[in-house]
Structure formats: structure tokens, C-alpha cells
Amino acid sequence: MSILPIRLFGDPVLTTPATEVIDFDRQLRKLVKDLTQTMQDAPGAGLAAPQIGVSLRVFVWDVDEELGHLVNPSLDLSDDMQEGEEGCLSFPELRYNTPRSMRVVAKGFNMYGDPVTVEGSELLARAIQHETDHLNGIVFIDRLSDENRRLAMAEIRKSDWFINAQSSGQNIQMKISPHKNSHLRK
């Protein structure tokens, strides 16, 4: 197991939809363990494979002392909504109220290829939706109102981590989300 560097906003892997997992092998199990260790070291409530530069549909979570993972998830979301503070390890120190469904039923597979269903509400539902968004190339600021997204982008441009990434010559891509915001917000 390894603690791996977390990709920061501006890295193209974060806005690229991830590939479905086909092989449930030793490499996948190592990826799940690396994701878990990296998430816990950060610390965070969840971490998706694209956040460590691996474009596969896998994520892990650690919410309310429940540690889990999901491969190739599909979600069934409730119509009732919640609005709560949300952050992301790929956006250090950035936190904004973000709308999410209150409840989720997530279906997918574990690292061995066994089918699993996870039902969650409130924080677990938020984490599962957030990490699944990463697998679809959506970052949480895509879910913000236009005004809050403008504020978040201004805050990002002034942040030490973003300025340091730019000055070190990293390929930062500040582009408009490829996703229509109107379908992201209910």
C-alpha cells in the first residue's frame, strides 16, 4: 500500500470521465488499498481513483466510522434535497454549500467483483454522490450556483496551492465545465 499524491484542480484527469473497471484482479485490490490509505492520510471522507491520476471507476469513503469502496457505481437518488458544506481533497481548503440528494442507493461491485448495494443518507449520500461525480468528470464546484462558482474560482486563483502549481509549470487547465450546470442542479 502507498500514500499517493492527490491531483489538484486544473489537472485534466479530474474533468475526464473514468473508464469502467473490467478486471477485478490484484491490481484493482491494490488500487482500493492505496486509495484508502491516501484518503485516511489526507484526511478525507472520500477519494476517487481519478484524484490520484487513475482513470478508473473506483472510489472509497470513510464516513461515520464506516469504511467502504465501490467499483463501477450507478446511483438512484432521492428527490428530496439537502444543502450542506462540502469540500474536496483536490481543492485544498475550499468549502461551499453544495446541493445534493438527501438519500442514495448505490449499486456496483466490491474489489473482488461481487455485486454490492449501499444505501445512505445525509453525509454518506453526499460522499457517494461527490465521489461518483469524480468518476464522471464532474467536480463539486460544477454543482454550485453561478455566483458561488465565480466566488470559488476567485478563491482558487488566490490560493497558495494554485499559485504554487502554476509557478512550478504544471499544466493547469482552467476551463468552463463541460457539463451543463442546469442539469447538475435541481
Side-chain angles (χ1 to χ4, degrees), residues 126-143:
R126 178 174 296 282
I128 289 171
Q129 290 170 77
H130 179 107
E131 300 311 327
T132 301
D133 273 356
H134 275 299
L135 304 182
N136 295 326
I138 299 169
V139 292
F140 91 100
I141 63 171
D142 292 339
R143 298 263 179 204

Side-chain angles (χ1 to χ4, degrees), residues 80-144:
D80 54 327
M81 300 296 288
Q82 61 173 313
E83 178 117 1
E85 191 174 72
E86 194 166 314
C88 179
L89 295 174
S90 293
F91 294 81
E93 300 176 18
L94 189 74
R95 300 189 70 76
Y96 276 87
N97 282 337
T98 307
R100 298 281 182 185
S101 290
M102 180 64 79
R103 290 183 304 284
V104 65
V105 176
K107 293 181 180 180
F109 301 89
N110 67 17
M111 67 180 127
Y112 302 102
D114 301 323
V116 294
T117 299
V118 179
E119 295 184 39
S121 61
E122 298 180 14
L123 186 55
L124 181 57
R126 178 174 296 282
I128 289 171
Q129 290 170 77
H130 179 107
E131 300 311 327
T132 301
D133 273 356
H134 275 299
L135 304 182
N136 295 326
I138 299 169
V139 292
F140 91 100
I141 63 171
D142 292 339
R143 298 263 179 204
L144 302 178

Side-chain angles (χ1 to χ4, degrees), residues 45-186:
L47 189 66
Q51 292 180 273
I52 59 168
V54 178
S55 190
L56 288 174
R57 296 185 65 77
V58 181
F59 68 83
V60 297
W61 73 85
D62 187 356
V63 175
D64 297 331
E65 299 181 28
E66 179 187 338
L67 191 61
H69 70 276
L70 201 54
V71 179
N72 297 337
S74 65
L75 305 185
D76 183 20
L77 303 174
S78 68
D79 289 332
D80 54 327
M81 300 296 288
Q82 61 173 313
E83 178 117 1
E85 191 174 72
E86 194 166 314
C88 179
L89 295 174
S90 293
F91 294 81
E93 300 176 18
L94 189 74
R95 300 189 70 76
Y96 276 87
N97 282 337
T98 307
R100 298 281 182 185
S101 290
M102 180 64 79
R103 290 183 304 284
V104 65
V105 176
K107 293 181 180 180
F109 301 89
N110 67 17
M111 67 180 127
Y112 302 102
D114 301 323
V116 294
T117 299
V118 179
E119 295 184 39
S121 61
E122 298 180 14
L123 186 55
L124 181 57
R126 178 174 296 282
I128 289 171
Q129 290 170 77
H130 179 107
E131 300 311 327
T132 301
D133 273 356
H134 275 299
L135 304 182
N136 295 326
I138 299 169
V139 292
F140 91 100
I141 63 171
D142 292 339
R143 298 263 179 204
L144 302 178
S145 67
D146 291 339
E147 179 182 341
N148 280 345
R149 183 173 165 79
R150 278 192 295 281
L151 292 171
M153 292 300 286
E155 192 174 335
I156 290 165
R157 286 185 192 96
K158 293 177 188 173
S159 70
D160 289 340
W161 61 268
F162 187 77
I163 293 167
N164 290 340
Q166 281 186 313
S167 64
S168 69
Q170 290 183 26
N171 180 22
I172 306 279
Q173 293 186 9
M174 295 282 288
K175 61 181 185 178
I176 301 297
S177 170
H179 309 283
K180 297 255 187 250
N181 286 352
S182 61
H183 86 275
L184 293 178
R185 294 184 222 112
K186 289 189 176 186

